[in-house]
Structures are given as C-alpha cells and as structure tokens.
Amino acid sequence: MGKENKGRTDKVSAMKPVFEEALAFAQETAPGAKTPSPGTPHARPSAAGLPPAIAPAVGAVQLMPRDENVQEVLRSRARLLARLQKTGVVEEARDQYLCFRLGPNELYGIPYACLEELMYVGSIARVPGTPRAIAGVVNRRGELLSVLDLRQFFRTDAHEDASQARIIVVQADGARVGLLVDAVEGNEFYVPARVAAPLSSDGVSNIEYVQGIYEGKVTLLNIRAMLADPGLVVNRSAA
Amino acid sequence: MAKIIGVVQVKGGVGRSTLATNLAAALSLEGATTLIDGDVPQGTSASWGALRREAGRLGNLTVTTAQDHVELVHKARQLVGSQDYIVIDGPPRIAEITKVMLIMSRLCLLPLGASAAEVWATGDLVQTVEAARRRRPEIDVRIVWNRFREHTRSARELSEAVHAQLGLEEMQARLGYRVAYGEALGRGLSVSEWTDRLARDEFGGLVAEVKAALA
Ligand SMILES: Nc1ncnc2c1ncn2[C@@H]1O[C@H](COP(=O)(O)OP(=O)(O)OP(=O)(O)O)[C@@H](O)[C@H]1O
Ligand SMILES: [Mg+2]
C-alpha cells in the first residue's frame, strides 16, 4: 500500500513537466494557431436559449454545475438533441455527394461513388493543342492526371479568389480526371429519387454531363458521361 | 496515476462528444474516471453528464468542464493523482485547448467521417500534431472512423489515403452510422446501455483497443 502510494506520487510529479510543456505549446503560434481550414465551414448548433450567465457558472473549480437553472438548460438541450436525432431517422434512400462551387455562387455536386481524392492546386502544366477547358496535367504521385477546368467547361463567371481552389479527382469505369473548382463546400446528403431532370433552358451549358438539379440549386454532375468523352480525358489508365 | 485520453478534431459534428461520452462511461467501469468537457458553452458532454447524473448512473464517473486551456491543465493536474482515467472532449478548432490536449494525452483519438472531404479537412490538425511531436515525440494520435458506411468508399482505399495524406495510425474498430449513438447521447447513456447490439459490440471493440493502447 505504502509502496504503491509512493510510486503513484512519483509518477504524478513525473507528469509535471508535461503540463508545463502543454501550456508552452499552447502559447506557441505558427503553424497550429490558425483557425479551421477555409473550405470547411461548420454550422454549429447555436447556444440558443442559453442564458449568458451559464458560461461563468459552468466554469471555475466546481465539478459539475450545480445551479438548478444550469441543470435545466443542460437537460433541455440534451432532450432536444435526442429529438433532433429521432427526426433524422425517417430515412429515404440517401446518398452522399461532395458539394463544390464554381464562380462566386454556383453550386455543383459529385456523387461519392465517383470521388477519389481532393488535391491542393499545385503546378498545372498546359498541354498544347488541347481545348481551353483542359487546364493541363498534374503529377499525382508519379502518375499524370489531366485536369479539366470546370469554369471553362460550364462557362461560369470568373472568380478572382484562387485561395480555395482545389482539384477534385474523380473516376469512373477505369478513367480518372481532375476537376479544377473554385472551392469545396463539404459533403452533403441527397435523395437520388428527388433529383430533377436538367432543363436546357436552365442556362447550363454542356447539359449532357449533368445528372440533374437537386433542390433547385445544386447541379449534380454525371461523371461517367464526362469521363466517357474522349475529348475530355487526355490519358486513360486502368484503375 | 490517471491516463489521459483526448478526443480531438477540428471539424465539427464529427463525433467527438459521442466518442468522449461513450469512452468515459466504459472506462468508468474499470476505475475512477473524469470526463472534462472542453467545448463549452456548447457543452454536449456536460449535458450528457447532467442527464446521466439525473438517471443515477454516474457511478465512478465525474463530469466537469473547462473554459480554456489554463483551466483544463489546472484540472488535469488536480485530478491526475486521484483518477484512473481522464477523458477530454475538445472543441472543433485548433484552439489552445486542442494544443494542450495533444501534449498532455497519453492517447488522442481523432474521429473522422469516412469521406475524402473530411480526410482533407483534417490537414491543418495534422500540422499541429507534427508541431506537438517536436516537443513530445511519443504523442500517440489515432483515427477513429465514425459513421462508417462500407459502401461509400472501400475501407482499404480510405485507410491508404489516411496513411498517405495524413500519416496517422488508425484504430481497427470502426463506428457505423447508427441511430443508437444519438439515442444514447440524448439520454445520458452509453451505447453499451442501449438496445442496439451492433453498436454495443463495435464500441466494445474500440474500448478494448483503447485499453490495449494505454497498457
Ligand atoms: N456513428 C454515428 N451514427 C449516428 N449518429 C452519430 C454518430 N456519431 C455521431 N452521431 C450524431 O451526430 C451528431 C454530432 O455528433 P457529436 O455531438 O458527437 O459530434 P461533435 O464532433 O462533438 O460535434 P460538435 O462539433 O457539435 O461538438 C450527434 O447528433 C450524434 O448523435
Ligand atoms: Mg461536441
């Protein structure tokens, strides 16, 4: 018992430098000090209904907030959490897609099944004699990947801010291509049964590569059709 | 002396609180455990703790909060001698809290959704992990796949992407997309106290792995 206790105290004091180190690391600035990456906004549930008094009340040294009001707020939030979860249960067949932006505000989507990876935009080498919509080729871990400039392809408005531009690597039937987009918004769910047929009057060019419009705002792409077009894919590699 | 386990992730809604609460409940069956909610005022873990206390199920578990990194380190210091486990639920950003968690924790779990977009969103955090390793090389950070749906992307492809792009280890146990996680959370329960046997089994597998990693 005595021995065990002593071992315990020794170990505890051995942790001391770790706590000091932790505080020192927290003060260190770059590169960890920056806020989340720009392409991934997260809509946090707001602390609606939370009286401002709660923040100080749950802090300080006491374990578990004891104040009855605080307790009630916590309980009601937890109940709400459970309810939200329940309403999510009524599941229609859903699928995920990656949502991205072209120009300042046009939203597009790519079904997950076609998605391979997201890349930062490095140097893209132009290929002479290719259509304007082909941005060029990039070296992807030793493999040449052709990159399609989707802004050119869908004739969307130019977008000045290149900082959030990404290359989305997609594949279908053994072909693979990179799609240059202005920003990746994140992953969303969609209900395939509720995708509306695209109308040529929607003003979308290259309509044959559009699978449909979801909720009137997201243009879902038909990657398979895109990759089947020999004019769009420079190199063809077996998957 | 307490083993400290941090749950970190910069992306929100990925399952930090789900992981932290279930892990804390499971570990409290083994020994004195404190769950520190470092994501206030949102306080999902603290809310869960309040419900759990109301249900008279706290047992060996204490739930508390930390407003900022100074308070977090202070509490960890106070508790490390008396507890067997300290589980910390972190905020969805690389704040000071996340940084002290990386240094203090014996094991950091990083929940990640099975999608390329989320793998990519974790890039910034990986840089911070690398910076933390320059101070403390033994830092052990491992991915926990959450809401894992076999048909979205093949498991092999994803874990390859994680190795290649993030350079992080992963836990073998994966958490599926199951209503049980939300149901249990909203009742102050853990999934092992809920009716979904699959959820119970998969989380049990994760707990066993965590214990092995801490041994
Ligand atoms: N494996 C899962 N299956 C189903 N639902 C899940 C799963 N994991 C988490 N959830 C649900 O997703 C929501 C967000 O999870 P959780 O609160 O654990 O994430 P978080 O990362 O702590 O989020 P926040 O950024 O809001 O703190 C909750 O409603 C939770 O019940
Ligand atoms: Mg949380």
Side-chain angles (χ1 to χ4, degrees):
Chain A
M1 171 71 189
K3 192 169 168 250
E4 204 178 52
N5 253 344
K6 181 162 184 301
R8 193 164 254 238
T9 332
D10 285 352
K11 279 189 193 155
V12 171
S13 49
M15 269 302 274
K16 211 176 146 197
V18 174
F19 292 131
E20 301 304 332
E21 191 77 44
L23 289 170
F25 182 52
Q27 299 320 314
E28 198 179 277
T29 44
K34 53 184 181 174
T35 36
S37 63
T40 55
H42 168 54
R44 291 189 57 126
S46 76
L50 190 66
I54 201 173
V58 292
V61 269
Q62 97 278 31
L63 302 178
M64 270 322 274
R66 287 176 205 286
D67 180 81
E68 196 39 48
N69 290 334
V70 176
Q71 295 285 329
E72 185 43 44
V73 171
L74 292 179
R75 278 195 296 269
S76 62
R77 259 150 83 216
R79 268 180 236 117
L80 182 68
L81 213 72
R83 245 200 335 271
L84 288 177
Q85 189 63 31
K86 239 177 248 152
T87 52
V89 181
V90 241
E91 270 205 33
E92 257 176 292
R94 298 193 310 171
D95 236 322
Q96 286 193 76
Y97 70 95
L98 181 77
C99 185
F100 64 91
R101 190 158 49 71
L102 294 181
N105 47 30
E106 286 192 48
L107 293 178
Y108 288 78
I110 293 173
Y112 256 76
C114 303
L115 206 58
E116 187 134 346
E117 109 179 66
L118 286 158
M119 294 169 62
Y120 286 99
V121 184
S123 57
I124 303 180
R126 279 250 1 137
V127 182
T130 51
R132 258 165 69 86
I134 306 272
V137 292
V138 293
N139 185 333
R140 176 178 176 260
R141 293 192 282 279
E143 179 196 315
L144 280 187
L145 180 78
S146 59
V147 176
L148 191 60
D149 185 344
L150 283 191
R151 279 165 305 194
Q152 290 285 341
F153 193 66
F154 288 112
R155 314 229 166 82
T156 53
D157 292 344
H159 188 56
E160 281 76 49
D161 180 13
S163 66
Q164 285 172 269
R166 299 286 184 269
I167 294 172
I168 304 173
V169 184
V170 295
Q171 56 76 34
D173 304 325
R176 184 175 286 132
V177 74
L179 305 174
L180 181 60
V181 306
D182 283 318
V184 172
E185 301 285 342
N187 53 320
E188 311 276 1
F189 284 97
Y190 75 111
V191 179
R194 287 203 238 141
V195 174
L199 299 171
S200 45
S201 61
D202 276 349
V204 180
S205 51
N206 279 316
I207 201 83
E208 60 272 40
Y209 302 120
V210 171
Q211 183 185 323
I213 312 287
Y214 190 58
E215 290 181 338
K217 58 176 206 277
V218 183
T219 306
L220 289 170
L221 301 185
N222 184 342
I223 298 295
R224 181 157 282 138
M226 230 171 196
L227 286 167
D229 187 334
L232 292 180
V233 185
V234 178
N235 61 325
R236 220 154 232 285
S237 57
Chain B
M1 193 192 60
K3 289 166 176 161
I4 303 181
I5 302 145
V7 183
V8 296
Q9 171 55 279
V10 285
K11 209 167 181 306
V14 176
R16 281 187 316 278
S17 301
T18 300
L19 206 51
T21 54
N22 279 290
L23 200 56
L27 292 175
S28 73
L29 301 176
E30 312 281 323
T33 302
T34 296
L35 169 61
I36 308 181
D37 191 338
D39 188 19
V40 284
Q42 174 163 289
T44 306
S45 284
S47 304
W48 173 87
L51 284 175
R52 194 166 177 82
R53 191 172 61 153
E54 213 178 36
R57 281 181 176 268
L58 277 183
N60 248 338
L61 179 66
T62 307
V63 184
T64 182
T65 60
Q67 298 280 353
D68 55 34
H69 67 292
V70 176
E71 192 184 8
L72 179 60
V73 172
H74 176 71
K75 284 198 173 168
R77 239 192 241 275
Q78 278 191 324
L79 292 163
V80 75
S82 65
Q83 301 292 293
D84 295 298
Y85 299 99
I86 298 174
V87 179
I88 308 169
D89 183 5
R93 53 192 171 273
I94 307 179
E96 282 87 352
I97 290 203
T98 305
K99 295 173 83 181
V100 298
M101 283 168 69
L102 285 171
I103 300 282
M104 293 193 307
S105 302
R106 172 84 166 267
L107 174 68
C108 274
L109 298 178
L110 198 161
L112 193 63
S115 79
E118 287 187 18
V119 172
W120 169 72
T122 306
D124 286 350
L125 180 56
V126 171
Q127 284 189 0
T128 309
V129 171
E130 279 161 15
R133 283 211 172 111
R134 287 196 283 277
R135 286 184 178 265
R136 236 195 138 201
E138 67 269 34
I139 287 171
D140 191 357
V141 181
R142 305 192 198 183
I143 305 274
V144 177
W145 293 109
N146 189 26
R147 293 199 187 85
F148 197 84
R149 308 209 294 183
E150 291 294 340
H151 68 271
T152 49
R153 298 273 312 242
S154 86
R156 188 183 50 78
E157 265 180 275
L158 268 166
S159 69
E160 275 173 9
V162 162
H163 277 295
Q165 293 171 35
L166 302 183
L168 292 178
E169 296 301 314
E170 57 188 349
M171 300 300 261
Q172 294 307 307
R174 299 189 164 110
L175 310 184
Y177 196 108
R178 300 182 202 288
V179 173
Y181 288 106
E183 294 284 328
L185 189 67
R187 290 176 170 77
L189 300 177
S190 73
V191 278
S192 32
E193 297 155 341
W194 191 242
T195 51
D196 182 337
R197 198 172 50 77
L198 292 174
R200 214 181 302 162
D201 289 352
E202 72 188 9
F203 205 88
L206 181 69
V207 173
E209 249 185 279
V210 166
K211 284 197 281 189
L214 293 173

